[in-house]
Amino acid sequence: MTDRVRLFQTLPHTCGYFAERTAQNLVVDPAAPHLDRLYGPALAKGFRRAGGHLYLPQCNACQACVPCRIDVAAFAPDRSQRRCLKRNADIEVSEQMPGFTRERHALYRRYLHARHSGGGMDAADAEDFQRFLAAPWSPTLFLEFRVGGRLLGVAVTDVALTGLSAVYTFFDPAEDARSLGTFGIIQQVELARRRGIPYVYLGFWIAGHPKMDYKRRFKPLEIRRHGRWIPMP
């Protein structure tokens, strides 16, 4: 990538996963032309999209964030994931264009208030919603989950030719028992399978982290270390 586009290093900032640590990111030039064409190769190198930026953690004192992806052809849900699918058999899943609607935004606000209350995220307005979940160049799709017409959740996913990237999932906090986060990942695997896409990228895995270690349950999982993808032990 470096022979085709500029990369920038961010200044040190507070880590979003470990409050006592500082973090830095490597960021693809957001003004680079044809970011849509760069997206697939960037995913394959471990980068992730947040809003309009493609980034990769680049911290001198910490290598906790490890890019990870699901091998779609080899994935089979385990017993817990099969129970999740059975529990949600009443959900209608549909592929929708991305973007702001009052219904989606209201659900997003309820989710953030329940999960991130007091952190500033729960005050997200329409512009914040659009800026975080999509970008003009990103091939984004919203998977909507509905029961009887009521919107229960949305899995935001980017669909590149060589990989699908699970960007963010938000859902009705009153439906926690459904495990819609797990359901959303499985639905994205099924979307990739239908489209012949080999991988679903889950962003970064952090061993032992209460909010990130769940990704190891989606087997077989591959992780990127020392510039190559290897099976998670």
Side-chain angles (χ1 to χ4, degrees), residues 4-181:
R4 292 182 293 171
V5 64
R6 292 185 300 173
L7 302 175
F8 299 102
Q9 183 95 20
T10 66
L11 293 172
H13 56 273
T14 301
C15 177
Y17 302 112
F18 301 99
E20 72 280 6
R21 302 182 191 179
T22 59
Q24 288 183 273
N25 294 325
L26 198 62
V27 181
V28 175
D29 181 1
H34 309 304
L35 278 172
D36 56 335
R37 298 181 193 174
L38 292 173
Y39 195 11
L43 285 174
K45 290 183 179 295
F47 282 72
R48 181 161 177 77
R49 180 177 73 81
H53 294 88
L54 291 173
Y55 75 98
L56 179 69
Q58 193 86 353
C59 308
N60 290 329
C62 177
Q63 287 80 45
C65 293
V66 180
C68 64
R69 68 186 186 184
I70 300 170
D71 181 340
V72 170
F75 173 77
D78 62 18
R79 181 179 299 178
S80 174
Q81 291 160 355
R82 290 195 299 271
R83 287 199 300 266
C84 175
L85 289 172
K86 184 176 181 180
R87 190 160 57 245
N88 292 296
D90 58 335
I91 289 181
E92 178 184 355
V93 181
S94 63
E95 301 175 17
Q96 301 292 333
M97 294 296 292
F100 173 87
T101 68
R102 292 182 183 276
E103 182 185 36
R104 290 170 177 172
H105 184 236
L107 181 64
Y108 182 67
R109 289 283 300 268
R110 290 201 303 275
Y111 176 82
L112 292 181
H113 182 75
R115 295 298 179 95
H116 304 286
S117 181
M121 287 185 66
D122 53 334
D125 60 17
E127 186 177 342
D128 294 326
F129 176 94
Q130 186 70 18
R131 183 172 54 242
F132 174 59
L133 296 177
W137 52 264
S138 67
T140 305
L141 189 67
F142 280 18
L143 292 182
E144 290 190 344
F145 311 146
R146 294 181 182 271
V147 171
R150 182 169 70 92
L151 184 64
L152 297 188
V154 177
V156 180
T157 185
D158 290 344
V159 186
L161 291 176
T162 55
L164 186 154
S165 180
V167 175
Y168 199 72
T169 298
F170 58 96
F171 51 84
D172 187 342
E175 301 287 346
D176 262 349
R178 286 181 176 269
S179 302
L180 289 174

